[in-house]
Amino acid sequence: MTLAIDVLPEAPWPEAQPWEALAARAARAAFAASQQATRLDAPTFPVELSIRLTSDAEVRALNRDYRGKDKPTNVLSFPMLDVDELAQLDEMQGEILLGDIVLAHETCAREAAERGISLADHATHLIVHGTLHLLGHDHLEDEEAEAMERIERDVLQGLGLHNPYED
């Protein structure tokens, strides 16, 4: 299986950071952990996802237009496959677009500063989180939230990053 990741960084995201490598590492780790947790076989075709690094203003507009919430948020995920399609991912043919992840710079930078971690580490966590959403994981109910957080903690630990769900 090939996981193709398109990363679109724009101002105000710092240009010096290797966002493409960071995003690819995070998304691949989340994809592998999700497959292991759900016991799905790896698809034999290319899977693609897009990650847009943008401003709070753009994320606020997307959040308002698609979720009815007129405020910025740290990450939004726009899955292209529904739960039934995800369950048959290993049987699909041809290249599949998994979906889009969008991160808001100002919110991410503020949250990273509040947590005392780097923007890159926080963005890594949010890309893992967003990728899991694209793969059908959610946190609306307590049980599914615990399962999703467990996968996130395992992935972040494997990447050498701090557990974001600790005190």
Side-chain angles (χ1 to χ4, degrees):
M1 187 232 19
T2 303
L3 183 59
I5 302 162
D6 293 325
V7 181
L8 308 165
E10 28 179 87
W13 287 84
E15 293 179 19
Q17 181 68 39
W19 297 114
E20 292 84 1
L22 179 149
R25 183 173 174 242
R28 284 190 175 97
F31 196 89
S34 177
Q35 284 183 288
Q36 187 174 37
T38 58
R39 299 195 177 357
L40 285 178
D41 292 331
T44 57
F45 53 85
V47 175
E48 183 176 347
L49 64 93
S50 175
I51 300 171
R52 184 171 178 86
L53 306 175
T54 190
S55 67
D56 272 20
E58 183 174 340
V59 170
R60 179 180 182 168
L62 290 168
N63 205 20
R64 180 193 62 233
D65 294 349
Y66 291 96
R67 298 181 68 225
K69 298 180 181 189
D70 192 12
K71 62 181 182 177
T73 187
N74 53 15
V75 61
L76 291 171
S77 297
F78 297 97
M80 298 298 287
L81 303 175
D82 64 30
V83 175
D84 293 334
E85 292 170 317
L86 286 167
Q88 298 173 356
L89 194 61
D90 58 333
E91 300 169 13
M92 292 182 179
Q93 299 289 320
E95 186 175 61
I96 297 296
L97 178 58
L98 196 57
D100 301 317
I101 300 169
V102 185
L103 274 67
H105 179 266
E106 295 88 341
T107 297
C108 292
R110 184 185 72 254
E111 290 174 348
E114 290 168 357
R115 290 175 172 93
I117 61 174
S118 71
L119 176 59
D121 286 355
H122 191 46
T124 298
H125 170 225
L126 296 174
I127 292 167
V128 167
H129 184 88
T131 302
L132 291 176
H133 276 307
L134 296 182
L135 293 167
H137 299 276
D138 215 333
H139 46 79
L140 296 175
E141 303 292 329
D142 287 344
E143 187 174 307
E144 62 187 10
E146 289 174 22
M148 185 172 174
E149 286 178 14
R150 186 172 34 259
I151 295 170
E152 285 180 54
R153 284 192 305 269
D154 290 347
V155 169
L156 294 173
Q157 181 181 15
L159 295 173
L161 299 178
H162 176 74
N163 175 0
Y165 299 106
E166 286 182 347
D167 300 305

